[in-house]
Amino acid sequence: MKYRWLLLFFITGMLFASCSKIEDEYVYDTGYVIDWSAAADSASSTLPDRFWNEEGYFNYQNDGNDTGFQYWPQAQAMDVIIDAYLRSGNTKYSDLFTPWYEGIKVKNGGSYWNNFYDDMEWIALTMVRLYETTQDEKYLNTAKELWGYIEGGWNEEYGNGGVAWKADQPWSKNACSNGPAALLAMRLYTVTKDEVYKNWGIKIYAWLRENLFNKATGAVYDNLNGESGEISTLLFTYNQGTFLGAAHELYKATGDATYLKDARKAAYFCISDPDLIDTGNNVLDSDSEGAGDGGFFKGIFIRYFVKLIMEPDLDELYRKKFETFFSNNADILWRKGVNKLDILFGTNWTTSALGTTELGAQTSGCALIEARALWGK
């Protein structure tokens, strides 16, 4: 009887696979184990195949549904392209580097400058990665150019420091403009060894930690109104992610264990707070962040979360908790949250996407699958 059930399971699996456009080896082996590198191949290839615009940028929706150029999302999509290239070496990804570099500048009005400091920070972070990947100085020079604008966003007039969210709102000091700024400063320090960047990273992070980080719980609050002194306690996964990412980079650069503890605390809060996770499935939630820009948020958290998991000095008790959560998110997304006919993701990682999907949701799903392949366990 046991062998009949095994045969039935095998036949059912083969029938399911034959209905999918994912190749058999891209899904599971006979032990129902996911081949994560193959899964990443099928997921990430959707970005050049179904979101790329020949003018040199990524459409906001799949299959040519160009709803208008969006600047900061270009960084998130290109980060996945870099992930895929570093993993596979496939030139279908690297062939997009220069067209993207030139295309987003044209679409942004002939400049990389933007009124939103956080938008420029995201583009600059991706430029640093492109430089590390190619050693082409144009990417590093552009990151430095963007840093020059971002540095100007720091002001003492409102909130005793901090990088403003927008050039025309110097009083609004947000986690989304200070977390990535500290992270960018430390990434620039890593590639240049210029102490000026390191000092900026320490300074910006210290402001963020003092003003928007709950040291007791690990929550990263959304913003400080520098005029009224009011703090918005809204919570988002990407604020947790960039805070922990900056803290982790500072730890690697300084060896100060306080930074690693902060990173760990911010990560633990994100994977345990009921406002940020789906407690029933133990995955990052979709309800509080949804579509649009919010669709990118979970992927940003995952990008820096997996790096923390792979940090050799992380306490093993926390590593095990983080690995369990991370692995569960990837398993559920690939088993339940991907439309296997189109390899498309939605904002909800427990439900298959249907029809058109947005770049944010697709990018976050791809980022998780690439991160799972990178982790490799």
Side-chain angles (χ1 to χ4, degrees):
M1 191 67 168
K2 177 177 70 174
Y3 296 106
R4 290 180 181 176
W5 279 110
L6 286 173
L7 180 60
L8 178 61
F9 176 80
F10 177 76
I11 293 172
T12 302
M14 291 298 291
L15 287 172
F16 173 80
S18 68
C19 295
S20 171
K21 289 186 179 178
I22 305 178
E23 298 296 335
D24 293 350
E25 65 270 21
Y26 278 23
V27 192
Y28 314 113
D29 68 15
T30 54
Y32 212 65
V33 175
I34 300 170
D35 179 341
W36 289 109
S37 182
D41 278 335
S42 60
S44 295
S45 64
T46 62
L47 292 178
D49 292 349
R50 305 190 64 179
F51 288 83
W52 181 250
N53 188 302
E54 290 304 318
E55 292 186 36
Y57 64 96
F58 292 94
N59 292 327
Y60 207 71
Q61 292 182 334
N62 62 290
D63 294 341
N65 296 303
D66 186 5
T67 58
F69 175 74
Q70 302 288 328
Y71 185 55
W72 86 278
Q74 301 303 316
Q76 311 310 322
M78 180 50 68
D79 272 337
V80 171
I81 295 296
I82 296 169
D83 293 339
Y85 175 70
L86 292 175
R87 173 183 48 76
S88 69
N90 192 329
T91 57
K92 75 178 289 184
Y93 301 112
S94 58
D95 285 347
L96 301 185
F97 292 171
T98 295
W100 177 89
Y101 175 79
E102 296 171 350
I104 64 169
K105 182 177 182 180
V106 171
K107 295 297 291 186
N108 193 51
S111 170
Y112 293 107
W113 182 88
N114 192 276
N115 187 49
F116 290 86
Y117 288 108
D118 59 325
D119 287 22
M120 291 189 287
E121 290 158 10
W122 290 118
I123 298 296
L125 282 164
T126 301
M127 293 292 180
V128 173
R129 292 196 71 206
L130 284 168
Y131 170 71
E132 289 178 313
T133 303
T134 67
Q135 294 302 299
D136 189 330
E137 292 286 337
K138 71 186 178 189
Y139 299 119
L140 180 58
N141 290 336
T142 301
K144 290 178 178 179
E145 173 192 339
L146 284 162
W147 173 257
Y149 303 138
I150 294 158
E151 181 181 331
W154 176 279
N155 70 76
E156 303 283 347
E157 183 179 357
Y158 302 101
N160 297 316
V163 177
W165 176 43
K166 298 174 64 179
D168 57 0
Q169 291 185 9
W171 46 265
S172 183
K173 307 296 181 66
N174 293 42
C176 70
S177 54
N178 285 275
L183 180 58
L184 173 60
M186 296 312 299
R187 297 286 287 116
L188 283 167
Y189 169 72
T190 298
V191 299
T192 67
K193 300 306 178 186
D194 186 336
E195 292 287 328
V196 171
Y197 294 121
K198 180 181 176 182
N199 292 337
W200 267 110
I202 292 171
K203 179 180 177 180
I204 296 170
Y205 180 84
W207 183 93
L208 178 59
R209 186 178 192 270
E210 182 61 30
N211 289 276
L212 294 176
F213 180 57
N214 186 321
K215 302 174 188 65
T217 66
V220 180
Y221 298 138
D222 188 61
N223 69 81
L224 166 68
N225 184 318
E227 286 187 316
S228 66
E230 181 181 356
I231 292 177
S232 168
T233 57
L234 288 173
L235 300 171
F236 297 106
T237 53
Y238 81 136
N239 286 337
Q240 300 294 140
T242 57
F243 180 89
L244 78 86
H248 186 207
E249 290 294 330
L250 280 157
Y251 170 70
K252 291 190 291 183
T254 67
D256 185 340
T258 301
Y259 293 122
L260 184 58
K261 183 178 179 181
D262 285 353
R264 186 190 74 195
K265 185 171 287 188
Y268 187 75
F269 178 85
C270 191
I271 70 166
S272 57
D273 184 80
D275 289 331
L276 295 176
I277 65 168
D278 172 352
T279 55
N281 292 286
N282 199 32
V283 298
L284 293 176
D285 197 11
S286 62
D287 295 334
S288 62
E289 297 176 337
D293 280 0
F296 294 93
F297 292 0
K298 291 186 291 187
I300 291 169
F301 172 79
I302 288 294
R303 178 167 301 283
Y304 300 107
F305 186 49
V306 72
K307 292 181 179 181
L308 181 62
I309 289 173
M310 297 170 70
E311 167 56 51
D313 296 334
L314 181 66
D315 182 278
E316 288 302 318
L317 178 63
Y318 281 92
R319 191 192 316 279
K320 184 174 179 60
K321 292 177 184 291
F322 293 167
E323 287 179 342
T324 299
F325 181 82
F326 172 66
S327 180
N328 184 64
N329 273 255
D331 285 350
I332 287 181
L333 175 64
W334 194 245
R335 295 183 193 279
K336 297 181 178 181
V338 60
N339 180 335
K340 290 185 171 62
L341 294 177
D342 292 323
I343 325 299
L344 296 178
F345 304 104
T347 57
N348 190 323
W349 285 355
T350 68
T351 305
S352 176
L354 297 174
T356 299
T357 195
E358 292 184 341
L359 184 63
Q362 189 67 15
T363 297
S364 282
C366 292
L368 174 56
I369 302 303
E370 285 286 357
R372 184 63 181 82
L374 175 67
W375 182 50
K377 292 187 179 181

